[in-house]
Amino acid sequence: MTPPARGGLHEHLLVGLSALAAIAVTLPLSPGDSTPQWDNLVLATVAAWATWRVGRRVTTMTPAARSPWWALLASGVLFTAASLLTGLGVGGVFGRSSIGDGLLILAVLGPIVTAAQLAGRRQATRWPVLALDGVLVIIALVVVAGVLLVAPALLPGAVDRDLLPLVIGYAGYPAVALGLVGALCTVTSQAVRRAATAVIGMTAFQALAAAMLAVLVFQPGVVWVLIADVASVLALLTAVLAVQLAPVDVPDPSSPAGRHSITVAGLVVTGGALVGVPVTLVAALVLDLPIPDGAVAGTAALLALLLLRMLVRIRDSGRLSEDLVRSEADFRGLVEASSDGVAILDGDFRLVFTSRAARALLGLSPDVDLHPVLLDLLPEEARPRARAELTAVDEAVAVHLRVEPADGDPRDLEVTHHERPGSGRRVLHLRDVTTRRRRERELERMAFTDHLTRLPNRAMLFREMATPSTDERCLLVLDLDGFKEVNDTAGHEAGDTVLVEVARRLEGIVRADDLVARLGGDEFAVLIAGDRSAGVETAQRIIDVLAHPHRLSTGTFPVGTSVGLAQLMPRGGQLAFREADDALRSAKQAGKGCLRVWSTGPDGDPPVSGDLAAALLDGQVQLRYNIASNAANTAAALHALPVWQHPTAGLLSSADLWAAAGRQGHAAALQHWLLQRACADAAGLTEPLNVAVDLPAGHTVADELTSDVLGALTAADMPPTRLVLALTEEALLTAPASLPSALREVRAAGTRICLDDFGMGQTLFAHLSRVPLDSIRIDVDALGARGDAARAVQIVSAIVATADTLGLATVAHGVDPGPTMDAVLAAGATLVRSSAHPHRVGIEDVPAAVAALLRQPAAT
């Protein structure tokens, strides 16, 4: 529905006031049957405007929506013609059986046609009932009009007999038109309710004007003319308003706009007509007015029809009750036959209705008609969550409840719910998902459990290490010594038996809160709560216990273990595993049954002291840049490397810096600082060089990567395409699941992504689908055997060809200057960096280094 615009209402008001003022001025200038009739010309002008506005609005509607309003448009044309002809004196004078009267009678039929078409749009329109209601209102209004208008005209000498049909016609129109329109428009759709109200109002104004014309026939007077003219103007304005309130399209009957709605104006017309009969008759008796026989007969017919209408309503009420009972029975049968339970809750969470299946699912006795509170059926600790979820706004989310019947096993229920509008009640649909949830829990357990030893697996270990904890923790990584001999001598079945026994012994050593996991093969891990000394003590006990021989049916085998230990710092699970694994390799190299503890290295060198957070603030952490060039020997990109100018240990490399950040829990701060500083440095250069920033394995904070990148680019006001994020395959393989999605987000913002050390790891092409890459970086020196430059160039050519096929640029570093660099560029490498290129320079020295690079000869 489109309400009229404020400008349209102002136009209505202006036209109405202007028309009323014009009528007040012209009416004294048009006495009796004189011509021209200036007031009628004013009406013709207003009618022409109204017809134009109705036509404009109708043309904006769909063909189906505009059909009821063509009748109003035709009425406007006929009324304009009638007013114009009578105003000019060509069509006679209203109230004198003229051509104008004929056109007027045709014009006033438009609202009746419109109302009938609006009623016909309703689904299941009951035409007999509408006809009965219409006849009731018509007879009631005919009685009123007969007493007030027709009876005075029938008095001897009151009116010329030739004009009597005209009086009856003008007096009968209000009864017929208002009765039919009121009955037809009492029940409409929500979309046309306001438009239907306007149609009833327009018909009422037309009825008033027709009644005044009837009075004017037998009792001439300027007052009746004035009232008729004013009523006609109001009818025209209301007609325009009705069309403007009408929807431009027919609403779907199932939508809210298509639902049935009661029009108050229709009820007022019906009630007013029925009440008007006794009021009119009593007034006629009091005022000693003549009551024609037709009025008495009409009153009797009205009473008979009212009785008939009451009988129809009783019959309809009986049918409705039967339908409701039948529908309720059908609904109950449908609900009871469903395997899913249906229940209805009131505002206090009391079960006011439960189907047979629902009672069984909730553990209620089917023979006792109880209405318990649903929350009382749940474990006490689950009640607050259930209350919050069952009253949540988002009804699309299923609620999971666990009920514990007194005489049965616990059940898991999946509940979908929706509130019944205006009732304060909520309908629940319950489904037994006990088996499904048990399977889901089993699948989850299997996903985090080693199938042979029943220990937690690698995934569970890393999940546990990622869990935030304020306690000190240590990670022990074990590798069995002498296990290969068991498999080679006694077979793999015996080897499996040894692994199960190792798992049993490990669980017997550690505390209940510690975690023992099997990583795969003969490798195990133990995550314990405690400091380094506690970790060393536990590791030594493990070595001692596992050193005891393993007795099998095929013999006795001396299987021991070597242990690598690392402390688990905040947000350092990946780092701790790498450090413990490096320590384990050092222990294996030292001999069987050895323990090595990681500090800054597997050999136990003391860690660098100093607070990295303070170093970031004091400016001790700095950036150094390597410069890469293209085939024209023009500087094209910078590679940012963070270093720590330590006050006692000297200049620490990027690896040492990131290791310190991981141990101290400052990896997020270092990542934020690195991106901010690299973008700011690159944005401040006169040359628009790209800048590459490495995301190291085990240290990248994926959850904050997107905000760090976008924040750095915004702060530096640098185009996103100038920033390149480089990461290795190891970083992708060991990163949390959130890293690929974070990389896709920053890539969508325009940042470039580079896969570093391509060809050195597993080189999984699946990376190309998980991460939106723009380039790859290769270490030429490591690709071929040392001194075999030709072989290295062959491999570079193959990699470049693959990259070109995938639409990726290739960046080559570790290139020897001279013929090898020329060959790499000839193979198609986009950028190169050799030992002759400027490297590890501060940002203040970059412009000079770029200029020096230009002075070197380009590749031939």
Side-chain angles (χ1 to χ4, degrees):
M1 175 168 37
T2 305
R6 187 177 298 273
L9 292 176
H10 289 167
E11 183 182 355
H12 279 62
L13 184 60
L14 179 61
V15 171
L17 293 177
S18 300
L20 295 178
I23 289 174
V25 172
T26 58
L27 190 59
L29 303 179
S30 309
D33 297 338
S34 63
T35 55
Q37 293 285 318
W38 294 105
D39 60 327
N40 286 347
L41 292 178
V42 172
L43 292 179
T45 304
V46 177
W49 169 84
T51 303
W52 171 71
R53 289 303 303 265
V54 169
R56 283 188 57 186
R57 175 63 176 173
V58 168
T59 56
T60 64
M61 300 178 181
T62 61
R66 70 169 67 115
S67 59
W69 307 106
W70 286 120
L72 282 190
L73 186 62
S75 294
V77 174
L78 292 172
F79 187 81
T80 302
S83 300
L84 183 62
L85 292 176
T86 55
L88 296 174
V90 177
V93 179
F94 287 138
R96 297 294 184 269
S97 299
S98 62
I99 297 175
D101 289 324
L103 294 175
L104 184 60
I105 292 174
L106 293 175
V108 295
L109 295 177
I112 300 176
V113 177
T114 297
Q117 289 188 295
L118 290 177
R121 282 186 175 176
R122 298 201 310 270
Q123 283 190 333
T125 299
R126 302 177 62 193
W127 289 107
V129 176
L130 285 179
L132 181 58
D133 290 343
V135 171
L136 275 172
V137 179
I138 289 172
I139 292 177
L141 293 177
V142 165
V143 171
V144 174
V147 173
L148 298 180
L149 297 177
V150 178
L154 294 177
L155 294 174
V159 67
D160 189 348
R161 292 295 176 183
D162 294 337
L163 297 178
L164 189 59
L166 192 61
V167 175
I168 296 174
Y170 278 131
Y173 171 77
V176 175
L178 201 54
L180 287 177
V181 172
L184 292 171
C185 291
T186 298
V187 180
T188 62
S189 66
Q190 185 68 30
V192 300
R193 180 175 57 85
R194 295 170 65 186
T197 300
V199 171
I200 295 174
M202 175 188 63
T203 308
F205 287 128
Q206 286 184 344
L208 177 60
M212 293 303 99
L213 290 178
V215 174
L216 187 63
V217 173
F218 63 86
Q219 190 176 347
V222 69
V223 175
W224 316 122
V225 177
L226 177 61
I227 296 175
D229 288 347
V230 172
S232 298
V233 170
L234 294 177
L236 292 169
L237 294 176
T238 310
V240 176
L241 182 62
V243 178
Q244 288 183 334
L245 290 173
V248 297
D249 198 2
V250 178
D252 185 354
S254 62
S255 66
R259 295 175 182 170
H260 286 188
S261 178
I262 302 298
T263 305
V264 177
L267 295 177
V268 171
V269 169
T270 303
L274 296 177
V275 173
V277 172
V279 172
T280 301
L281 294 176
V282 171
L285 293 174
V286 172
L287 299 176
D288 197 22
L289 297 176
I291 300 177
D293 295 338
V296 177
T299 303
L302 183 63
L303 293 175
L305 289 175
L306 284 174
L307 178 61
L308 177 62
R309 185 69 178 91
M310 184 175 63
L311 294 175
V312 171
R313 288 187 181 277
I314 293 174
R315 185 199 63 182
D316 291 345
S317 178
R319 289 180 177 176
L320 182 60
S321 298
E322 292 176 0
D323 290 342
L324 286 175
V325 172
R326 190 181 302 110
S327 297
E328 183 177 358
D330 293 341
F331 171 75
R332 283 185 176 272
L334 180 64
V335 169
E336 297 294 349
S338 174
S339 60
D340 293 344
V342 178
I344 299 179
L345 289 179
D346 63 12
D348 297 326
F349 291 89
R350 187 172 298 278
L351 292 164
V352 297
F353 170 80
T354 49
S355 66
R356 183 183 296 110
R359 299 181 71 83
L361 293 175
L362 295 172
L364 302 176
S365 173
D367 302 325
V368 181
D369 186 20
L370 297 178
H371 300 286
V373 176
L374 175 64
L375 298 181
D376 293 343
L377 305 177
L378 308 178
E380 188 171 354
E381 64 275 6
R383 294 172 187 176
R385 177 185 61 82
R387 179 186 295 272
E389 291 181 349
L390 288 174
T391 55
V393 176
D394 189 1
E395 299 178 349
V397 178
V399 178
H400 291 277
L401 304 179
R402 186 173 179 84
V403 297
E404 298 179 351
D407 56 349
D409 296 329
R411 293 189 184 93
D412 292 314
L413 304 181
E414 183 180 76
V415 182
T416 56
H417 59 99
H418 65 275
E419 186 176 2
R420 296 172 61 188
S423 68
R425 295 185 172 188
R426 188 168 292 273
V427 179
L428 309 183
H429 300 270
L430 299 87
R431 177 175 298 176
D432 189 352
V433 294
T434 304
T435 302
R436 191 187 78 188
R437 293 299 296 272
R438 184 175 64 249
R439 290 172 179 171
E440 289 175 353
R441 288 191 290 268
E442 180 63 18
L443 288 173
E444 182 177 8
R445 187 192 65 79
M446 292 173 62
F448 293 101
T449 304
D450 177 63
H451 72 281
L452 175 64
T453 62
R454 301 300 177 183
L455 292 176
N457 60 12
R458 183 189 187 100
M460 178 57 103
L461 173 67
F462 278 88
R463 172 191 271 192
E464 188 67 23
M465 287 194 297
T467 303
S469 175
T470 57
D471 298 331
E472 289 188 279
R473 294 185 294 176
C474 289
L475 176 65
L476 287 66
V477 178
L478 326 175
D479 186 89
L480 299 183
D481 299 327
F483 179 74
K484 185 175 183 300
E485 287 76 7
V486 178
N487 281 336
D488 293 343
T489 304
H492 289 282
E493 185 175 354
D496 291 344
T497 303
V498 170
L499 293 176
V500 173
E501 175 62 17
V502 168
R504 187 190 65 78
R505 293 185 186 183
L506 289 174
E507 288 185 309
I509 296 171
V510 300
R511 295 164 297 189
D513 294 337
D514 296 333
L515 177 71
V516 178
R518 183 188 177 203
L519 302 178
D522 61 345
E523 291 188 350
F524 294 82
V526 179
L527 181 63
I528 68 169
D531 57 12
R532 182 179 300 182
S533 61
V536 170
E537 180 183 353
T538 303
Q540 195 59 55
R541 288 207 317 269
I542 290 174
I543 293 173
D544 293 342
V545 171
L546 294 187
H548 296 166
H550 293 264
R551 292 178 175 85
L552 304 177
S553 60
T554 55
T556 301
F557 297 92
V559 177
T561 186
S562 298
V563 182
L565 185 150
Q567 281 189 281
L568 190 67
M569 298 298 179
R571 306 184 71 169
Q574 297 280 351
L575 175 64
F577 184 81
R578 294 174 58 201
E579 292 174 345
D581 195 47
D582 288 344
L584 174 61
R585 286 197 294 270
S586 178
K588 297 289 285 186
Q589 293 171 1
K592 297 181 179 181
C594 292
L595 165 67
R596 287 293 182 268
V597 180
W598 174 276
S599 54
T600 58
D603 298 326
D605 296 332
V608 175
S609 61
D611 185 2
L612 179 59
L616 288 171
L617 294 176
D618 294 342
Q620 296 176 19
V621 180
Q622 304 167 4
L623 283 185
R624 297 290 184 265
Y625 291 95
N626 295 336
I627 300 178
S629 64
N630 53 26
N633 212 37
T634 301
L638 303 176
H639 183 195
L641 300 172
V643 295
W644 186 356
Q645 189 65 53
H646 197 274
T648 58
L651 187 67
L652 301 181
S653 67
S654 297
D656 294 332
L657 175 59
W658 279 110
R663 286 192 301 273
Q664 299 179 23
H666 296 318
L670 180 57
Q671 174 179 289
H672 178 80
W673 177 89
L674 172 59
L675 289 166
Q676 289 278 341
R677 174 50 53 195
C679 290
D681 286 351
L685 296 174
T686 56
E687 296 289 335
L689 302 179
N690 293 344
V691 60
V693 175
D694 291 338
L695 303 179
H699 300 294
T700 301
V701 185
D703 294 339
E704 299 180 15
L705 181 62
T706 302
S707 59
D708 285 347
V709 169
L710 298 182
L713 291 170
T714 301
D717 193 22
M718 188 177 80
T721 54
R722 289 181 57 190
L723 176 62
V724 181
L725 300 180
L727 69 166
T728 62
E729 295 178 72
E730 181 186 4
L732 287 175
L733 290 171
T734 60
S738 56
L739 180 59
S741 60
L743 292 175
R744 284 191 289 269
E745 289 178 5
V746 298
R747 178 62 177 79
T751 302
R752 311 286 181 84
I753 309 297
C754 176
L755 183 61
D756 196 7
D757 285 345
F758 186 84
M760 300 301 297
Q762 299 180 31
T763 312
L764 296 176
F765 281 88
H767 297 329
L768 305 179
S769 60
R770 290 182 62 210
V771 179
L773 297 174
D774 296 282
S775 59
I776 58 174
R777 187 191 294 167
I778 58 177
D779 185 352
V780 177
D781 186 51
L783 289 177
R786 184 165 300 277
D788 191 355
R791 182 60 175 170
V793 171
Q794 286 180 341
I795 298 175
V796 169
S797 299
I799 293 176
V800 170
T802 301
D804 288 344
T805 303
L806 298 173
L808 304 177
T810 303
V811 179
H813 66 97
V815 183
D816 292 333
T820 302
M821 188 172 74
D822 294 345
V824 169
L825 288 170
T830 309
L831 299 175
V832 295
R833 183 172 61 81
S834 70
S835 57
H837 284 68
H839 59 282
R840 298 188 180 276
V841 297
I843 189 61
E844 66 279 359
D845 298 325
V846 168
V850 171
L853 185 63
L854 286 174
R855 290 193 291 270
Q856 297 179 11
T860 57

